[in-house]
């Protein structure tokens, strides 16, 4: 259950990106490089925000350090504890806030586990070479010492990680900060030394990206401009590569206009931060005393709104749809020789959906600045409404589903259906974002109605199937 919530969504993300990039490059090593860059850029805002929170925590502790030392030197026992708690309350601080300093490390753990689980078992890597690495599914063994082999990639990964850590902790010589960086580096060396070269190569690339990020954070003042220009350069490189490799002309000449449009979309998406930077610099800056509307509307009920929106998506994608599939033919999900309750599939999809929409979207919501949270919630609301409309108003014959709730054949639709669906859903999403900003009370009511409806629909379909499954369960004697 915890794995489904914390790690499985990231594993699916890595798997999807790897599959798409392998089809694009037809090379597993290049796909690993692409996955590392893509995932690193996608989670970069989270890491930057985590670093900012860590820096705020460090500055707060530094500002309180003098008085805390004075209290601990002057008082003892319960009296010292009461004085510390009183001082913390005066400074609007809680000791549990110290955990915020470990956010960058905590964010790495689920991404590492997901990459470890997925890349350790990818069949595409088996027997595939990349540069000096003979087989990406085996340890690299690049250094030969007589009859023994030494794995070079884990050592290189650790060196890069430590250099990145030294840059990151420069100017903050506390023992705690250094331990948070160097101990994980040693742990990763031990864990990954005998792991597949593909996995270690991927994690080494992540460490290289982290090193570059730390250099930028320390040396460059206008970080937003640098990142926008970096993505713009990647967009240009992508366009040049698709042109030189012949992929662009291949898609155009073959009449595969959808893939050509997808290439254009990827290139344009990487230019968005640059356009945003230009607009933010040329636009009117807020006057002193001016307050954002989102900040005015920021109240204690914000996270209640988030749970209201996220729960509807969880119940639809994790409850209604899987329970409908199982209820349609519950006996097809039963293997009498290897019994497994089909309803466990519903529980699995429900936990994965909760991981996506409640846990990870909740992490993003916590990390997002207050003035952007309302906009993020409006996007989540639009996604939920798009899913509802696409599920109930655009039904289609998508073929047979297997017992793992996957399609036995890839569904295909006509271009008219695909484009018409896309245009309608884009219009619906835009309308939902606008509705959330103008009539939030209506949206809350609609979300509450949908939650109750989805709970009823899931139970209505699951309970009869559960009774049938219980009656069909083989004798366990």
């Amino acid at each position: 259950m915890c794995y489904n919530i914390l790690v499985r969504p990231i594993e699916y993300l890595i798997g999807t990106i790897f599959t798409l990039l392998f089809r694009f490059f037809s090379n597993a090593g290049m796909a690993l490089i692409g996955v590392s860059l893509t995932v690193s850029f996608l989670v970069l805002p989270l890491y930057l925000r985590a670093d900012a929170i860590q820096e705020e925590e460090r500055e707060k502790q530094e500002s309180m350090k003098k008085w805390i030392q004075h209290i601990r030197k002057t008082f003892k026992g319960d009296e010292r504890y009461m004085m510390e708690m009183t001082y913390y309350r005066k400074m609007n601080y809680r000791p549990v806030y110290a955990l915020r300093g470990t956010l960058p490390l905590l964010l790495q753990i689920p991404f590492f586990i997901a990459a470890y689980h997925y890349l350790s078992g990818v069949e595409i890597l088996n027997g595939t070479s990349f540069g000096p690495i003979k087989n990406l599914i085996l340890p690299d063994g690049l250094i030969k010492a007589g009859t023994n082999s030494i794995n070079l990639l884990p050592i290189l990964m650790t060196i890069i990680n430590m250099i990145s850590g030294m840059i990151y902790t420069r100017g903050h010589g506390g023992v705690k900060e250094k331990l948070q960086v160097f101990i994980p580096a040693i742990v990763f060396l031990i864990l990954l030394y005998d792991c597949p070269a593909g996995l270690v190569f991927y994690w080494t690339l992540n460490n290289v990206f982290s090193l570059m990020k730390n250099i930028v954070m320390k040396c460059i003042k206008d970080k937003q401009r640098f990142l926008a220009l970096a993505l713009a350069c990647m967009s240009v490189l992508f366009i040049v590569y698709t042109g030189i490799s012949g992929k662009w002309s291949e898609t155009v000449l073959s009449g595969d206009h959808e893939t050509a449009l997808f290439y254009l979309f990827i290139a344009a998406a990487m230019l968005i931060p640059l356009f945003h930077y230009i607009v933010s610099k040329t636009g009117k800056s807020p006057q002193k005393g001016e307050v954002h509307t989102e900040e005015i509307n920021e109240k204690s009920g914000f996270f209640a709104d988030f749970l209201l929106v996220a729960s509807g998506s969880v119940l639809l994608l994790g409850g209604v749809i899987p329970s409908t599939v199982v209820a349609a033919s519950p006996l097809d999900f039963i293997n009498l020789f290897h019994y497994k309750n089909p309803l466990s599939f519903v529980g699995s999809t429900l936990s994965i959906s909760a991981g996506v929409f409640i846990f990870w979207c909740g992490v993003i919501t916590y990390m997002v600045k207050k003035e952007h949270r309302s906009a993020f919630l409006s996007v989540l609301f639009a996604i939920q409404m798009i899913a509802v409309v696409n599920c109930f108003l655009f039904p289609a014959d998508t073929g047979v589903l297997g017992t793992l709730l996957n399609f036995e054949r890839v569904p295909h639709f006509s271009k008219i259906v695909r484009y018409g669906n896309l245009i309608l859903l884009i219009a619906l999403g835009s309308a939902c974002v606008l509705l959330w900003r103008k009539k939030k009370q209506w949206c809350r009511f609609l979300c509450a109605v949908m939650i109750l409806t989805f709970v009823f629909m899931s139970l209505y379909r699951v309970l009869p199937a559960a009774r049938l499954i219980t009656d069909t369960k083989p004798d366990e004697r």
Side-chain angles (χ1 to χ4, degrees):
M1 181 68 73
C2 290
Y3 185 89
N4 284 343
I5 294 174
L6 302 179
V7 181
R8 189 75 70 182
I10 303 174
E11 186 178 336
Y12 286 162
L13 174 66
I14 293 175
T16 302
I17 295 173
F18 179 82
T19 302
L20 291 175
L21 291 176
F22 181 76
R23 292 176 182 174
F24 181 77
F25 291 111
S26 300
N27 183 291
M30 291 299 297
L32 286 173
I33 295 175
V35 170
S36 177
L37 285 174
T38 304
V39 173
S40 296
F41 270 107
L42 286 176
V43 302
L44 181 60
L46 282 181
Y47 279 113
L48 292 179
R49 182 58 181 156
D51 290 341
I53 293 174
Q54 187 180 47
E55 185 66 25
E56 293 171 5
E57 172 63 24
R58 189 184 290 120
E59 292 175 357
K60 188 71 172 180
Q61 290 188 3
E62 190 66 27
S63 66
M64 299 187 301
K65 183 178 179 181
K66 179 180 178 180
W67 278 103
I68 291 295
Q69 289 179 342
H70 174 72
I71 291 172
R72 292 176 178 176
K73 184 177 180 180
T74 307
F75 303 96
K76 294 182 180 180
D78 293 339
E79 189 177 12
R80 183 175 70 178
Y81 174 79
M82 295 300 295
M83 291 296 294
E84 284 184 4
M85 293 299 104
T86 302
Y87 180 66
Y88 284 146
R89 283 195 297 271
K90 181 180 178 181
M91 299 298 293
N92 195 25
Y93 181 82
R94 295 179 183 178
V96 72
Y97 288 171
L99 295 176
R100 296 186 300 186
T102 63
L103 278 177
L105 175 61
L106 293 177
L107 281 174
Q108 288 188 50
I109 295 175
F111 282 90
F112 170 75
I113 296 174
Y116 182 90
H117 189 267
Y118 178 76
L119 295 177
S120 295
V122 179
E123 289 297 327
I124 297 174
L125 301 181
N126 192 10
T128 303
S129 61
F130 185 70
I133 304 172
K134 302 301 181 182
N135 193 340
L136 290 171
I137 205 65
L138 299 175
D140 62 89
L142 292 176
I143 301 177
K144 302 296 182 181
T147 58
N148 298 320
S149 299
I150 298 176
N151 299 326
L152 177 61
L153 280 178
I155 299 173
L156 181 63
M157 174 196 69
T158 305
I159 293 173
I160 294 172
N161 206 351
M162 287 187 170
I163 294 174
S164 177
M166 286 188 288
I167 295 174
Y168 183 76
T169 57
R170 190 178 65 178
H172 306 287
V175 176
K176 184 176 72 172
E177 284 81 4
K178 293 187 180 298
L179 289 177
Q180 288 179 2
V181 172
F182 295 121
I183 289 180
I186 300 301
V187 171
F188 284 140
L189 172 63
I190 296 172
L191 290 176
L192 296 179
Y193 184 77
D194 289 321
C195 284
L199 170 62
V200 185
F201 180 57
Y202 167 80
W203 204 250
T204 303
L205 292 172
N206 281 4
N207 288 336
V208 171
F209 187 88
S210 178
L211 173 61
M212 295 173 62
K213 181 201 74 172
N214 290 338
I215 292 174
V216 170
M217 294 290 290
K218 291 290 183 180
C219 303
I220 297 178
K221 293 182 179 180
D222 196 342
K223 302 175 183 63
Q224 184 182 359
R225 177 187 177 187
F226 177 84
L227 293 174
L229 290 174
L231 282 173
C233 290
M234 289 184 63
S235 176
V236 173
L237 290 174
F238 177 79
I239 294 172
V240 172
Y241 177 82
T242 54
I244 294 176
S245 63
K247 292 186 176 296
W248 174 258
S249 58
E250 179 185 342
T251 55
V252 173
L253 293 176
S254 63
D256 189 3
H257 302 301
E258 291 182 357
T259 303
L261 289 173
F262 180 71
Y263 290 163
L264 287 176
F265 172 78
I266 295 297
M270 288 189 284
L271 292 173
I272 291 175
L274 181 60
F275 291 134
H276 179 268
Y277 175 79
I278 294 173
V279 171
S280 65
K281 290 298 181 181
T282 57
K284 179 184 176 182
S285 58
Q287 300 295 322
K288 186 176 181 181
E290 219 177 295
V291 184
H292 292 281
T293 306
E294 289 86 353
E295 294 180 13
I296 296 174
N297 295 331
E298 185 70 22
K299 298 180 180 180
S300 59
F302 172 82
F303 284 100
D305 288 342
F306 165 75
L307 288 175
L308 197 64
V309 174
S311 298
S313 299
V314 170
L315 289 170
L316 174 63
L317 300 179
V320 174
I321 296 176
S323 64
T324 302
V325 174
V326 173
S329 184
L331 294 180
D332 290 339
F333 287 83
I334 297 177
N335 185 340
L336 297 179
F337 300 100
H338 182 66
Y339 181 78
K340 185 176 182 180
N341 193 323
L343 297 183
S344 63
F345 295 114
V346 179
S348 177
T349 55
L350 193 64
S351 60
I352 294 172
S353 298
V356 173
F357 292 102
I358 293 182
F359 180 79
W360 283 109
C361 286
V363 169
I364 295 173
T365 302
Y366 175 76
M367 295 289 194
V368 167
K369 293 181 179 180
K370 291 182 178 180
E371 58 266 26
H372 298 149
R373 286 180 176 176
S374 182
F376 180 69
L377 259 189
S378 66
V379 173
L380 280 183
F381 175 72
I383 291 173
Q384 178 181 350
M385 296 306 301
I386 288 173
V388 170
V389 171
N390 206 35
C391 178
F392 296 106
L393 297 185
F394 293 98
D397 182 11
T398 53
V400 180
L401 283 176
T403 55
L404 294 179
L405 300 180
N406 57 339
F407 292 106
E408 293 188 354
R409 62 174 178 82
V410 179
H412 291 285
F413 305 97
S414 65
K415 289 186 177 181
I416 295 177
V417 172
R418 292 199 300 268
Y419 293 149
N421 195 337
L422 180 62
I423 293 171
L424 287 174
L425 294 182
I426 291 175
L428 174 64
S430 303
C432 289
V433 170
L434 183 62
L435 182 64
W436 180 268
R437 295 180 65 87
K438 299 297 183 180
K439 299 291 183 181
K440 193 174 294 186
Q441 285 296 117
W442 293 6
C443 298
R444 289 177 182 141
F445 176 76
L446 185 59
C447 288
V449 171
M450 285 192 295
I451 288 174
L452 294 176
T453 304
F454 294 157
V455 169
F456 173 78
M457 291 176 65
S458 299
L459 293 177
Y460 178 77
R461 287 162 178 166
V462 162
L463 293 179
R467 287 195 295 269
L468 178 60
I469 291 166
T470 302
D471 295 338
T472 315
K473 184 175 180 181
D475 192 356
E476 297 181 350
R477 290 177 295 175

